[in-house]
Amino acid sequence: MAPWSGEELGREPHLLLRTRRAPRTLAELAGIVAGEPRVRALGSRHSFNDVADTTGVHVQLDLLDDGRPPLDVDPATGVASVRAGLRYGEVAPALHAQGRALTAMASLPHISVAGAVATGTHGSGDGTRSLAGDVVGVELLTATGEVLTLRRGDADFPGSVVALGALGVVTRVELATVPAFEVRQDVFTGLSWDALTENLDAVMGSAYSVSVFTSWFEPDVRMVWCKSRVDDGVGAAPTLPTGLGAVPATRAMHPLPDVAAVACTEQGGVPGPWFERLPHFRLDFTPSLGEELQSEYLLPRSAGPDAVRAVRALGERVGPLLLTSEIRTVAGDDQWLSTTGEDSLALHFTWRQDWAAVREVLPELEAALLPLGARPHWGKLFTVPVGELRGRYPRFADFADLAARLDPAGVFRGGYVGQLLAG
């Protein structure tokens, strides 16, 4: 999949924007959908390919006011109804103020709720699902102008969350919440590759959320970030297994080497609210470097050690192209197009902004990982053929049928989604 609809790499914005509209009411949004042959919704534009592209009109929901509070928590169930265009960095502190929390957050809070769940975005943790796993209801405006709500338990619900924008414009998302909790974040260095590969499950399960940062060709793993829950006022000690050679970092660290950690959430074991520790980056700073490409592949957890060895064997090829790479875990869910249909190991690659070089190495990486069951993240860069990708989702035919029923004219098809559903 080529990035940015074939446009020159590095051009801003990161996808081809022909016409962009920002409706303020549901009636205005419905008028746009009814009056245009092709429409696609935009989130926070953090996808690195053409999954959100269209030859028609883009709609952005930042200004949409549906006449209801932007965030409304049901005190009886804890379910939070949020406007789709809100960013997680806006939703999380508002939830915390009401004593509620989400079970997971992505590495950066800058992404919109609807866009993140639609592409299967995730955080890390053996017991936490992707962000779509917290979704219990989706409200969307269909091609006919109907406002349709699908909730967990409905037959079509598992196809409606990780849906790539193919069913309609999502206007509200309902999220399950839990009581608010605190988290401490500890960083370790000095873990060897042998120690990681031979103890992968123990390392990745050593805290509520664990991320391993590496370049794949250095002698040791670069860093292990452990985010531990602090319950009932008792400070939970980090539980990275002893005897593996890892030691606590002596200063705050950034995922990228030689970059100051000012943009990162607080480390050093200092407890803080869940939304100020689970992401790697603070909302009011540019995440990562701000100029990069990204790919990610998610594999069955059982294939984890083999996947790590396979990428390690390609270290001399991928390492020089990387800013950093991250290893995470995600619990499985029941979404038809989820990249984490079972408990998964996620291998994320943050590339230097050199598409020509990255495009050459991706087929090598995929040749090593696809036989192990890898699925590429929907919003990242990959070269897996459309036909092969469809075959990796047992319920893909059900999703294609749902898209055809809700959008028979293909109003919401475009870019890669158009290719995916063309069959």
Side-chain angles (χ1 to χ4, degrees), residues 5-27:
S5 308
E7 292 298 289
E8 182 180 349
L9 192 64
R11 175 178 174 179
E12 292 292 336
H14 287 177
L15 76 170
L16 188 58
L17 290 177
R18 290 183 172 85
T19 304
R20 181 172 51 170
R21 303 278 294 278
R24 293 179 176 271
T25 65
L26 286 175

Side-chain angles (χ1 to χ4, degrees), residues 142-389:
T142 69
T144 63
E146 174 191 9
V147 176
L148 175 66
T149 300
L150 294 168
R151 291 192 171 92
R152 183 166 292 281
D154 295 340
D156 291 331
F157 176 79
S160 69
V161 184
V162 184
L164 310 179
L167 309 183
V169 179
V170 175
T171 53
R172 284 221 159 224
V173 178
E174 296 176 356
L175 303 170
T177 67
V178 298
F181 56 94
E182 288 199 332
V183 172
R184 60 176 290 168
Q185 182 169 217
D186 297 87
V187 177
F188 296 85
T189 61
L191 184 68
S192 71
W193 278 106
D194 286 344
L196 174 66
T197 306
E198 295 169 8
N199 301 275
L200 185 61
D201 285 345
V203 171
M204 301 309 296
S206 62
Y208 183 80
S209 172
V210 175
S211 292
V212 175
F213 289 100
T214 180
S215 68
W216 295 103
F217 75 137
E218 293 177 338
D220 292 330
V221 173
R222 185 176 288 162
M223 288 178 285
V224 182
W225 290 30
C226 296
K227 302 169 189 276
S228 307
R229 280 191 59 153
V230 179
D231 294 309
D232 301 323
V234 178
T239 54
L240 193 66
T242 59
L244 300 185
V247 296
T250 57
R251 60 180 176 84
M253 307 288 284
H254 191 285
L256 306 186
D258 303 320
V259 176
V262 63
C264 298
T265 50
E266 188 165 359
Q267 303 165 22
V270 180
W274 56 280
F275 67 94
E276 293 182 352
R277 297 294 185 274
L278 293 181
H280 299 332
F281 300 101
R282 303 175 192 265
L283 179 63
D284 49 348
F285 284 87
T286 299
S288 191
L289 187 64
E291 297 178 358
E292 67 267 349
L293 306 177
Q294 293 184 9
S295 300
E296 185 175 46
Y297 301 90
L298 296 103
L299 302 99
R301 187 67 182 270
S302 59
D306 287 339
V308 171
R309 293 187 189 98
V311 181
R312 176 76 172 140
L314 292 170
E316 296 298 330
R317 287 284 289 137
V318 304
L321 298 177
L322 287 170
L323 293 171
T324 192
S325 186
E326 183 178 5
I327 304 171
R328 292 179 285 180
T329 57
V330 193
D333 60 56
D334 61 354
Q335 288 289 316
W336 295 345
L337 290 193
S338 175
T339 54
T340 54
E342 58 184 299
D343 292 352
S344 300
L345 188 80
L347 305 180
H348 187 277
F349 302 86
T350 300
W351 307 103
R352 301 181 186 278
Q353 201 173 64
D354 184 351
W355 172 236
V358 171
R359 180 169 49 193
E360 286 187 8
V361 80
L362 284 180
E364 297 178 47
L365 196 56
E366 291 165 359
L369 296 179
L370 292 180
L372 299 176
R375 295 174 173 179
H377 188 296
W378 291 112
K380 312 296 183 182
L381 296 172
F382 55 90
T383 65
V384 183
V386 169
E388 182 174 352
L389 194 56

Side-chain angles (χ1 to χ4, degrees), residues 32-40 54-57 407 409-413:
I32 295 170
V33 172
E36 299 290 341
R38 293 289 184 270
V39 177
R40 292 285 286 165
T54 181
T55 57
V57 172
D407 183 22
V411 172
F412 300 112
R413 299 188 186 187

